[in-house]
Structure formats: structure tokens, C-alpha cells
Amino acid sequence: MTTNREDYLKQLYRLEEAEGSVSNKRLSEALGIAPASVSEMLVKLGKEGLVQYEAYQGTRLTEEGRRRAVDLLRGHRLWEVFLREHLGYSWSEAHEDAELLEHVTPARLVERLDTYLNHPAHCPHGEPIPRGGDQAPRAELVALSEVPAGRRVILRKVREERALMDYLEAMELHLDAEAVVTAVGAYEGPVALLTEGKDMQLSHKAAERIFVEEIESRRKEDEDQGIENPSGGGSIAGGASRGAR
Amino acid sequence: MTTNREDYLKQLYRLEEAEGSVSNKRLSEALGIAPASVSEMLVKLGKEGLVQYEAYQGTRLTEEGRRRAVDLLRGHRLWEVFLREHLGYSWSEAHEDAELLEHVTPARLVERLDTYLNHPAHCPHGEPIPRGGDQAPRAELVALSEVPAGRRVILRKVREERALMDYLEAMELHLDAEAVVTAVGAYEGPVALLTEGKDMQLSHKAAERIFVEEIESRRKEDEDQGIENPSGGGSIAGGASRGAR
DNA sequence: ATATTAAATTAGGAGTACCTAATAAAGGGG
DNA sequence: CCCCTTTATTAGGTACTCCTAATTTAATAT
């Protein structure tokens, strides 16, 4: 299995999760490879039993293809954890180098890395690390941009986009931290957040790409204490009146 | 730079260190690639300025070629240290997986790995890990097979051969441990060793592939205490009378 | 000095994975 | 229902790296 073929499987997996059967066009875009080359490769992957492909019909992974894609994903995310926690990588750097390492990571290395890292449940941006058995399903996540002001949330996941990762890291936003949404600007205005004693304002665009778990408690009380309403587009700065945990 | 080309550079480096200018035959054997293919590749590497190659003249690395080979070697050996010390790999497994990882290890990763591992001076089998400045040159090593009985030594290096590594590891021989050569069989007979309170016998073949640092002290006394002579081919078992450190 | 052997090169091919250009199939709007 | 746009496929070609077989060069031994 070459790096190229592995990249096909990875993208097929990603696209299939999101949109079901995958068109050649989407795959070609995702891989940055000419559509003609994609057709050609899909025929080969089909013959190798990794995808179910029929001309003009769209593509799906077979059992085996999916298994391989998941193995790659697992390796990728474990490397990300290692690079960040132990080698001090930033989110985006970790992603880049994990992209290389995942293709030369035999099963035994994946397993030992997993043990070494203490079986982490999520990669540094909050994506689950697939494992053998069933995953403990995580609390439902919503985009930060959909959370009304006043709610308490835990930051759980950010999209893997280089610019976003660098942006959020620069402002020291940490995953798994608690936060209070102190204001939500109307008409896609910025979202204000109080987390770890810091106030921060995020663009709507960023908030769409950050996913949080809502915490039930203290919603009513927060509102009583004067935190602004979703509809109120007023002052966003918000007083750093109390820590978020 | 592809994995293939990198393998050419690595082998050229290794062979050049050992024997000077490298013949196509040697390189072809070392790489397991047909001589014709080697000729062809050397022309390309020559054009890329990585080797100095002229038909029928043998090959040498250029400055740049050597630099790249050393970078690879450094990555390889650092990975070996990581795999062994942190992931519990055996010598031979560590070597195998490092062989894969070294080709996808950008400079920043090499450096952070080095820091993480605390700038190790040697890889698990005792080869020096090249670094920027000058290496602290290590005490001179001699093959264990050349050491007369009665000498005290420190085990410093073993050749990277799979069967040897597995053999030595199975008998729990540890590098950097002190040992006393208790007997040396005549006519390429086995070498007996007392190390870490254990007696072990090594074949002559193994002893040729293990390199040690001789320690000055206690040579005379050891002999006085009845440790056998180089020429004496008698009993090799030797009593486990005292620990080696 | 030449005949033989060993080493190296050139020639001719194959497999992988990509590309561009040309052609064919699907699908939506009148 | 057919035209036209979009999507997909086929055709033909390139680059890389390997192979075997044939040839050339170099080295050795008489």
C-alpha cells in the first residue's frame, strides 16, 4: 500500500462520512489530483477490493477499505497527540508531520504509541481517536456560533484548518476548558467568551468552526446576573467578573 | 528526495566510511538492486550534485550528499532511542521501524526528538548519533573477540544484524554494562563473560560483532584470582562469584 | 601481451501514478 | 423530449525506478 493509495482511502472515508457515496469530482478536489487520474486509480482500488466502484455510480469504501482508512486515522491522531504533548508542537505543525508519519506506522507502532500516550480519547483538536471496541460516544456537540449568550460550555473540538488552528492557538484557547458565552453579536457578529479568566472575542467564522458541549447548570442564574441576551448586539467586551472553572 | 534516493545515500555513506570510494557492485549488493539500475541511478544522483560519479571510477558522496546521509542517520538513531526507551521495542524491531520513520522526519522533528530524548550520544546498539558540532570522541573500541581473558571491559556497541540483536537481547546482555572476560576459547572457541552477576557464553562469531572499551584497572588481580588464561581452552562456565559492577 | 573473468554500462521493457485533450454519459431547463 | 452543461471516462504521453539481456571496459593470470 503506497502513500498515494492511502491518501485516496483517507479522503474517501472523510467524504463518505460527511456525504455518503463519493463523486469523482469531490474526490479529485479533495486530493488535488486530476479527475482522469482519479478514475484510473479507482479502477485499481476496486480491483484490489478496497472500494466499490462502478463507472458513473460514485464510490464507497469496502469493509477492508474502511478498516484501512480508520487505521490511518488512528495513527494520524495518535501522532498528533505525541507531537503536541511531548514534543511541544503547535496544532498545525502536529497535523503536518502526523500526515507524513501515519503512512509509515505499522500496527505494532500504533498500539505501542497508544499505550505510551495512555489511550487518549481524542486528538488535540478534539476528533475522536478510533479504537477497536465501541467508542464511548461523546456528549453532543454544537457549533459555538449556535450557542446563545449566557450559556456555559466546554470547548471540545476545532476544525482542522491551518489558519484557524494558528489563530486559536495564538490567543491561547484551550480545548476541554470551560467557558461562558458572554455575548453573541447579531448578524454574524463576533462571539465573546470568558474562559480561564480571559476574555476573548471570536469572529463568527471562527465560532462556526469550534464545537462545544453545553453544560446544563447555571443558565438561568447567569442571565439574572446581567449577562447579555442573544439578540442584544451591544457591548461585547464583557467584564472578567469570575473565572470559568 | 524520495525514499529510494535516500537509501542510496545512506548506503553510500556507510560503505564509503568503511572502504572509501564505492564500487557499483558493493552498492548493488548493499541495496539489493540490480547493478544496471544502480548505474542508472548514480548518473541521476550525480546530476543532482549528491554524488561524484564517473563511469567505471567508483562513487563518492559530495558535501551535500554526505550532509543528507548524516541527517538521515541522525533521524534513524534518534527514532531507535525513542522506540526502545519509551515504547519498549526490542533492538531489531526498533531498527526496522526507524528505517521507515527516518524518511519522513523533517528537520524540526529531528531536533525536537533530540531535545525530548535528552540529546542521547548513542543509539541503542552503541553507534554514535551525529550532531552539529564535533562529537566527543569515544574511547577506542575493540572487538570482544580480541580481548584476552581476565580483562575488564564495558560493552559499548553491537553490529546491527537482526539475528545477533535478537540473540543478545534474549540473553539480556546490556550495553554500557561492565563485564569481565572470564575465558576465551582457543581456535575461535566461545568467549565467556561475567556481567551484572550473570555468566554468559558467546560464540566467537558473536564476540567479533560486539565492541568493548577496555578498563585499565584490576587486570593483574583478576588473573591472580584464578581467571583463566587466553590460551587455556578448558572450562568456560566460570563461577558467578561476584557482580561485575 | 593476450585470453579470460569480473565489473560496469547501455538497450529495451515493465509498473506506478500522474498529466492534458478528446470523447461519452447524465441530468436539468425550456 | 432534446440541448447544453457538468461530470466522468478513455486515449495518449511523461517521469520515475526497477528489471533482464547484451555489450563494453577493466583487471588478472598465464
Side-chain angles (χ1 to χ4, degrees):
Chain A
M1 179 67 25
T2 68
T3 296
N4 295 320
R5 281 164 149 76
E6 289 180 345
D7 285 338
Y8 275 86
L9 296 182
K10 270 178 55 187
Q11 290 303 332
L12 280 167
Y13 179 79
R14 211 173 58 76
L15 294 170
E16 197 175 312
E17 292 291 279
E19 319 166 13
S21 174
V22 180
S23 74
N24 276 14
K25 178 140 187 280
R26 298 288 287 110
L27 187 53
S28 146
E29 284 164 2
L31 290 166
I33 286 174
S37 309
V38 170
S39 285
E40 201 180 351
M41 182 61 95
L42 287 175
V43 171
K44 287 183 202 163
L45 292 176
K47 281 182 187 151
E48 290 168 28
L50 297 169
V51 305
Q52 206 183 306
Y53 165 80
E54 222 175 324
Y56 298 101
Q57 289 331 120
T59 306
R60 285 185 165 283
L61 290 170
T62 61
E63 276 289 296
E64 174 63 10
R66 170 163 294 99
R67 205 187 52 63
R68 301 235 195 150
V70 168
D71 284 350
L72 285 165
L73 207 57
R74 180 167 156 76
H76 178 95
R77 292 184 179 156
L78 287 169
W79 277 121
E80 283 185 330
V81 172
F82 171 70
L83 295 174
R84 252 187 87 80
E85 314 251 295
H86 294 285
L87 301 195
Y89 269 64
S90 73
W91 274 337
S92 61
E93 288 171 332
H95 179 70
E96 283 172 21
D97 287 1
E99 203 70 35
L100 300 173
L101 292 167
E102 64 183 359
H103 297 293
V104 290
T105 308
R108 72 172 168 213
L109 177 47
V110 173
E111 294 322 314
R112 288 180 207 195
L113 204 49
D114 185 50
T115 300
Y116 177 62
L117 299 171
N118 241 278
H119 312 290
H122 302 101
C123 81
H125 349 83
E127 297 289 346
I129 295 175
R131 39 176 38 79
D134 309 282
Q135 303 284 101
R138 176 155 65 173
E140 204 174 316
L141 301 186
V142 293
L144 180 57
S145 57
E146 301 305 315
V147 176
R151 294 287 171 84
R152 244 176 140 56
V153 299
I154 302 180
L155 306 170
R156 289 300 196 193
K157 186 171 107 175
V158 307
R159 284 237 187 286
E160 286 195 12
E161 291 168 27
R162 206 201 147 114
L164 176 68
M165 293 190 288
D166 289 344
Y167 170 63
L168 295 176
E169 209 154 25
M171 46 203 299
E172 300 190 330
L173 177 141
H174 297 128
L175 282 202
D176 297 322
E178 269 189 39
V180 179
V181 178
T182 50
V184 179
Y187 300 116
E188 306 203 344
V191 172
L193 220 59
L194 175 59
T195 178
E196 296 177 331
K198 302 185 300 281
D199 279 303
M200 52 179 78
Q201 287 186 49
L202 300 170
S203 69
H204 179 80
K205 180 168 172 178
E208 284 180 317
R209 291 164 171 74
I210 298 173
F211 300 87
V212 304
E213 176 181 334
E214 291 195 66
I215 304 179
E216 294 307 322
S217 64
R218 301 191 51 185
R219 201 186 314 156
K220 197 78 172 91
E221 304 86 284
D222 283 350
E223 276 170 15
D224 291 349
Q225 284 170 33
I227 283 175
E228 290 146 84
N229 217 286
S231 51
S235 132
I236 290 175
S241 48
R242 64 171 180 283
R245 29 167 96 217
Chain B
M1 179 63 32
T2 67
T3 296
N4 294 321
R5 283 164 146 78
E6 288 180 346
D7 285 338
Y8 275 87
L9 296 182
K10 270 178 55 188
Q11 290 303 334
L12 279 167
Y13 179 80
R14 210 173 58 77
L15 295 170
E16 197 176 311
E17 292 291 279
E19 318 166 11
S21 175
V22 180
S23 74
N24 276 15
K25 177 136 188 285
R26 296 290 287 111
L27 188 53
S28 146
E29 285 164 0
L31 290 165
I33 287 174
S37 309
V38 170
S39 284
E40 201 180 350
M41 181 61 93
L42 287 175
V43 172
K44 287 183 201 162
L45 292 175
K47 281 181 188 152
E48 289 167 29
L50 296 171
V51 306
Q52 208 182 305
Y53 165 81
E54 224 175 324
Y56 298 101
Q57 289 332 118
T59 306
R60 285 185 165 283
L61 290 168
T62 60
E63 277 288 298
E64 175 62 11
R66 171 164 292 99
R67 206 186 52 62
R68 302 234 196 151
V70 167
D71 285 349
L72 285 164
L73 207 57
R74 179 165 156 76
H76 178 95
R77 291 182 180 158
L78 286 168
W79 277 121
E80 283 184 329
V81 172
F82 171 70
L83 294 174
R84 250 187 88 81
E85 315 250 296
H86 294 284
L87 301 195
Y89 270 63
S90 73
W91 274 337
S92 61
E93 289 171 333
H95 179 70
E96 283 172 20
D97 287 0
E99 203 70 36
L100 300 173
L101 292 166
E102 64 183 359
H103 296 295
V104 290
T105 306
R108 71 172 168 213
L109 178 47
V110 174
E111 294 323 313
R112 289 181 206 194
L113 204 50
D114 184 50
T115 301
Y116 178 63
L117 299 171
N118 242 281
H119 312 290
H122 303 100
C123 82
H125 352 79
E127 297 290 345
I129 295 176
R131 39 177 36 80
D134 309 283
Q135 304 283 101
R138 175 154 67 173
E140 203 174 319
L141 301 185
V142 294
L144 179 57
S145 57
E146 301 306 314
V147 177
R151 294 284 172 86
R152 244 177 139 57
V153 299
I154 300 180
L155 306 170
R156 289 300 197 192
K157 187 170 106 177
V158 308
R159 284 236 186 284
E160 286 193 12
E161 291 167 27
R162 207 203 146 111
L164 177 68
M165 293 189 287
D166 290 342
Y167 170 64
L168 294 177
E169 209 153 26
M171 46 204 299
E172 300 190 328
L173 177 141
H174 297 130
L175 282 204
D176 297 322
E178 270 188 40
V180 180
V181 178
T182 50
V184 178
Y187 299 115
E188 307 203 343
V191 172
L193 220 58
L194 176 59
T195 177
E196 296 176 330
K198 304 185 299 282
D199 279 302
M200 51 181 79
Q201 286 186 51
L202 301 170
S203 69
H204 179 80
K205 181 168 171 178
E208 284 179 317
R209 291 162 170 75
I210 297 172
F211 299 87
V212 304
E213 175 181 337
E214 291 196 67
I215 304 178
E216 295 307 322
S217 64
R218 302 193 47 187
R219 200 183 318 157
K220 196 81 173 90
E221 301 88 282
D222 283 350
E223 278 171 12
D224 290 350
Q225 285 171 30
I227 284 176
E228 289 148 84
N229 218 285
S231 52
S235 136
I236 289 175
S241 48
R242 64 171 180 285
R245 22 171 94 215

